[in-house]
């Protein structure tokens, strides 16, 4: 790699993929107020500024309370479409070529919104983004782990007619006290139906939850996974399996998983041979999209261009694209690094 460009411009321009992104977490206050207005919904905050002031979280639950409130203004298919397209336009400007996007249907179906309204709105935006901007994407349906397994099972049934649009199921929401083992049956059923599986584990919860996600839910990736570092044997197993961990630096900072970015474990994880990627999680709430995550963690940990290149390469390799699509994006990455 040549050296004439700054690391900032290298980060902004390098082709990359996003593998850990909640679509409801991309809902920017400006769009939230606009959609609330057209749906005649009164938000409990008087202004965008007042809402943004509430974005001061001490832990995951603090954030989730506000995140679920924000999603309540989404009523019509058009609302889901607008939110999704607005995210895709944003990442187009950041050289994100591929995105694997979580959605939380239970947030909406529990409020009486139809599953079809949610998924049609999101999916149509993905189709349009592919056509207009060439961005490829996959959808991952998450189950809310603070709800019970029966609710997850009903959600899985609702998703079956849309099987071709959804690559995997995942597990998110309040982690502590809601171990992966509670969802063993619904994940088993999802795998039988042909879905891949992923799960949030080891964000706030213990390393043991990561083991459960691997052994009971048979995941293809772990979302977050920071707490794996508490257990050397688990680290060895994750390295040996080359199990991808979708790490989210700014999320970890905003939810107090780390006290400052300089103490973020990303570099240690890389040094140990863990298969990590960098992701934005809920960018509208955590103060940065994918490039800001790369930029800030690079600065805090003094990552090299080669580290950034490895993270970008991992993001394509750990994706759920098929081998030929992966090859195409990896070739674009190689082309880029030749110029830089
Ligand atoms: N963790 C768990 N659940 C979530 C998150 C997260 O970071 N974002 C949205 N739902
Ligand atoms: Zn997440």
């Amino acid at each position: 790699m040549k050296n004439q460009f700054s690391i900032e411009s290298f980060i902004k321009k390098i082709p990359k993929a996003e593998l850990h992104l909640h679509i409801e977490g991309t809902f920017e206050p400006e769009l939230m107020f606009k959609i609330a207005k057209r749906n005649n919904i009164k938000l409990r905050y008087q202004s965008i500024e007042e809402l943004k002031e509430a974005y001061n979280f001490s832990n995951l639950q603090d954030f989730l309370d506000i995140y679920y409130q924000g999603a309540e203004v989404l009523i019509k298919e058009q609302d889901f479409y607008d939110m999704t397209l607005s995210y895709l336009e944003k990442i187009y400007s950041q050289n994100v070529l591929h995105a694997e996007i979580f959605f939380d249907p239970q947030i909406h179906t529990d409020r009486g919104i139809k599953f079809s309204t949610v998924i049609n709105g999101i999916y149509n935006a993905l189709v349009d983004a592919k056509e207009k901007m060439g961005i490829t994407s996959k959808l991952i349906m998450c189950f809310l782990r603070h709800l019970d397994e029966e609710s997850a099972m009903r959600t899985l049934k609702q998703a079956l007619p849309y099987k071709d649009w959804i690559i995997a199921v995942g597990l998110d929401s309040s982690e502590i006290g809601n171990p992966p083992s509670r969802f063993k049956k619904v994940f088993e059923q999802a795998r039988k139906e042909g879905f891949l599986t992923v799960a949030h584990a080891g964000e706030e919860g213990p390393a043991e939850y990561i083991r459960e996600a691997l052994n009971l839910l048979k995941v293809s990736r772990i979302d977050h996974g920071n707490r794996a570092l508490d257990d050397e044997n688990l680290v060895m197993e994750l390295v040996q399996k080359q199990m991808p961990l979708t790490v989210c630096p700014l999320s970890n900072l905003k939810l107090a998983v780390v006290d400052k970015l300089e103490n973020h474990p990303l570099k240690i994880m890389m040094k140990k041979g863990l298969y990590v990627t960098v992701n934005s999680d809920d960018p509208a709430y955590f103060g940065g999209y994918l490039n800001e995550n790369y930029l800030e963690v690079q600065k805090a940990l003094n990552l090299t261009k080669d580290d950034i290149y490895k993270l970008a390469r991992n993001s394509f390799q750990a994706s759920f694209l098929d081998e030929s699509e992966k090859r195409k994006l990896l070739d674009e990455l190689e082309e880029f690094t030749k110029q830089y």
Side-chain angles (χ1 to χ4, degrees):
M1 260 175 267
K2 299 172 201 150
N3 226 350
Q4 70 269 44
F5 291 94
S6 69
I7 190 125
E8 288 81 11
S9 109
F10 183 77
I11 287 174
K12 287 179 186 162
K13 293 189 179 153
I14 195 169
K16 51 188 100 59
E18 166 111 276
L19 303 181
H20 183 154
L21 181 281
H22 303 262
I23 199 64
E24 293 88 352
T26 70
F27 202 11
E28 289 287 348
E30 289 75 12
L31 186 61
M32 194 185 291
F33 270 82
K34 186 173 153 193
I35 291 181
K37 191 163 174 222
R38 79 185 183 206
N39 287 339
N40 284 316
I41 292 172
K42 203 161 162 36
L43 285 162
R44 60 193 86 181
Y45 301 93
Q46 297 304 316
S47 64
I48 291 171
E49 291 67 40
E50 198 187 320
L51 173 61
K52 284 184 181 167
E53 273 166 33
Y55 291 4
N56 208 334
F57 316 112
S58 347
N59 54 39
L60 174 60
Q61 193 58 51
D62 248 19
F63 154 70
L64 290 170
D65 294 342
I66 290 209
Y67 163 86
Y68 296 135
Q69 268 174 40
E72 282 174 17
V73 309
L74 298 161
I75 309 287
K76 305 199 177 84
E77 197 174 302
Q78 186 71 43
D79 305 340
F80 290 93
Y81 178 92
D82 290 350
M83 176 176 67
T84 307
L85 195 67
S86 145
Y87 163 70
L88 293 158
E89 282 168 347
K90 179 75 192 183
I91 64 168
Y92 182 61
S93 73
Q94 297 205 339
N95 295 308
V96 179
L97 306 188
H98 175 71
E100 307 205 337
I101 299 177
F102 297 128
F103 71 117
D104 285 334
Q106 288 154 298
I107 303 180
H108 314 295
T109 52
D110 280 10
R111 306 179 284 121
I113 310 294
K114 285 199 197 125
F115 188 94
S116 60
T117 302
V118 178
I119 196 160
N120 281 323
I122 296 172
Y123 189 74
N124 288 334
L126 301 182
V127 171
D128 287 354
K130 171 80 171 60
E131 199 176 297
K132 292 189 193 127
M133 301 176 264
I135 298 174
T136 56
S137 56
K138 302 277 181 196
L139 265 183
I140 302 173
M141 178 174 80
C142 279
F143 302 120
L144 298 178
R145 69 201 307 161
H146 67 275
L147 301 178
D148 58 26
E149 194 174 37
E150 285 69 50
S151 172
M153 201 61 98
R154 285 195 298 277
T155 305
L156 178 62
K157 292 221 169 77
Q158 290 173 314
L160 294 182
Y162 303 94
K163 224 176 182 178
D164 294 348
W165 294 359
I166 303 171
I167 188 84
V169 299
L171 190 64
D172 65 1
S173 189
S174 323
E175 187 182 8
I176 294 173
N178 295 307
S181 52
R182 285 188 59 217
F183 297 89
K184 184 170 183 278
K185 285 201 209 86
V186 70
F187 270 65
E188 224 160 61
Q189 188 59 33
R191 288 200 314 282
K192 265 192 211 147
E193 295 287 355
F195 297 98
L196 296 170
T197 63
V198 297
H200 283 55
E203 179 185 17
E204 285 186 343
E208 185 53 29
Y209 286 14
I210 300 175
R211 288 187 184 283
E212 286 189 10
L214 296 174
N215 300 333
L216 305 179
L217 308 187
K218 317 271 187 219
V219 295
S220 302
R221 296 197 297 246
I222 294 283
D223 296 312
H224 294 293
N226 304 37
R227 296 275 310 270
L229 294 175
D230 298 345
D231 180 340
E232 255 325 300
N233 289 329
L234 176 60
V235 169
M236 276 174 4
E237 185 181 335
L238 293 166
V239 170
Q240 186 263 324
K241 289 188 164 138
Q242 283 297 282
M243 175 60 54
L245 308 180
T246 61
V247 174
C248 305
L250 287 177
S251 166
N252 292 158
L253 179 66
K254 295 297 155 90
L255 301 187
V257 169
V258 296
D259 60 350
K260 50 184 177 176
L261 223 39
E262 286 72 13
N263 290 336
H264 194 282
L266 181 72
K267 197 166 172 174
I268 295 170
M269 293 168 112
M270 292 177 85
K271 287 231 164 80
K272 287 183 183 283
L274 287 163
Y275 188 3
V276 288
T277 64
V278 163
N279 306 274
S280 73
D281 210 3
D282 301 281
Y285 293 90
F286 300 151
Y289 285 78
L290 194 51
N291 281 358
E292 289 76 27
N293 272 274
Y294 274 82
L295 286 164
E296 294 200 30
V297 82
Q298 183 281 323
K299 213 172 350 151
L301 302 180
N302 204 14
L303 300 180
T304 63
K305 279 189 187 174
D306 194 52
D307 293 329
I308 300 299
Y309 163 75
K310 282 186 185 131
L311 290 165
R313 192 183 57 192
N314 286 354
S315 75
F316 293 123
Q317 280 173 337
S319 76
F320 292 144
L321 287 165
D322 67 35
E323 285 310 314
S324 72
E325 291 171 305
K326 258 186 213 180
R327 194 59 266 155
K328 192 172 150 278
L329 296 181
L330 285 164
D331 285 348
E332 279 195 49
L333 176 64
E334 295 316 320
E335 267 313 300
F336 168 84
T337 50
K338 268 189 227 154
Q339 300 164 33
Y340 272 73

